[in-house]
Amino acid sequence: MTEPNGIDPSVPPSGAGCVECEADGGWWFHLRRCARCGHVGCCDSSPAQHATAHYRATGHPLVQSYEPGEEWFWDFATETLYDSGPALAPPVSHPSDQPAPGPAGRVPRDWARVLGS
């Protein structure tokens, strides 16, 4: 059931990695999970920025970090960071043995240069 703030805590994440990067063989820096539909997309520091693209395509504004040990939410519509929020359906992060950036085997050796770090 979708709550008034647009969060549906019953929806599981779409997978262990960015949906679009997995489909096209790309890679990501960090992952974000849509709090409404469970779509997992890559963050704005990633080459493809699929989490923001998902927001623009769907209007689903709230994402939660999909990184182990992080609970914060981001509201794209208001550009507001929340330290925490309602518990979402598990799993709450990508597998802890999955590296960041990831996934293993697809991250270029010079990933920091590619991201401009």
Side-chain angles (χ1 to χ4, degrees), residues 29-75:
F29 185 53
H30 291 293
L31 297 170
R32 308 293 178 242
R33 172 187 178 174
C34 178
R36 180 172 292 174
C37 72
H39 174 273
V40 175
C42 54
C43 72
D44 283 354
S45 295
S46 300
Q49 303 176 355
H50 288 123
T52 295
H54 176 75
Y55 160 63
R56 289 182 180 142
T58 64
H60 299 170
L62 295 166
V63 293
Q64 184 178 39
S65 174
Y66 200 53
E67 296 299 317
E70 296 182 359
E71 297 180 5
W72 57 264
F73 284 76
W74 175 255
D75 186 329

Side-chain angles (χ1 to χ4, degrees), residues 63-116:
V63 293
Q64 184 178 39
S65 174
Y66 200 53
E67 296 299 317
E70 296 182 359
E71 297 180 5
W72 57 264
F73 284 76
W74 175 255
D75 186 329
F76 283 109
T78 64
E79 297 188 355
T80 303
L81 177 68
Y82 299 95
D83 291 335
S84 63
L88 301 181
V92 297
S93 72
H94 65 74
S96 60
D97 63 350
Q98 177 179 296
R106 292 204 313 248
V107 179
R109 289 179 192 241
D110 63 343
W111 66 266
R113 184 192 59 74
V114 171
L115 297 182

Side-chain angles (χ1 to χ4, degrees), residues 1-27:
M1 178 174 158
T2 304
E3 296 180 359
N5 58 11
I7 293 175
D8 186 342
S10 69
V11 176
S14 59
C18 174
V19 173
E20 293 83 4
C21 288
E22 291 286 21
D24 66 16
W27 62 279

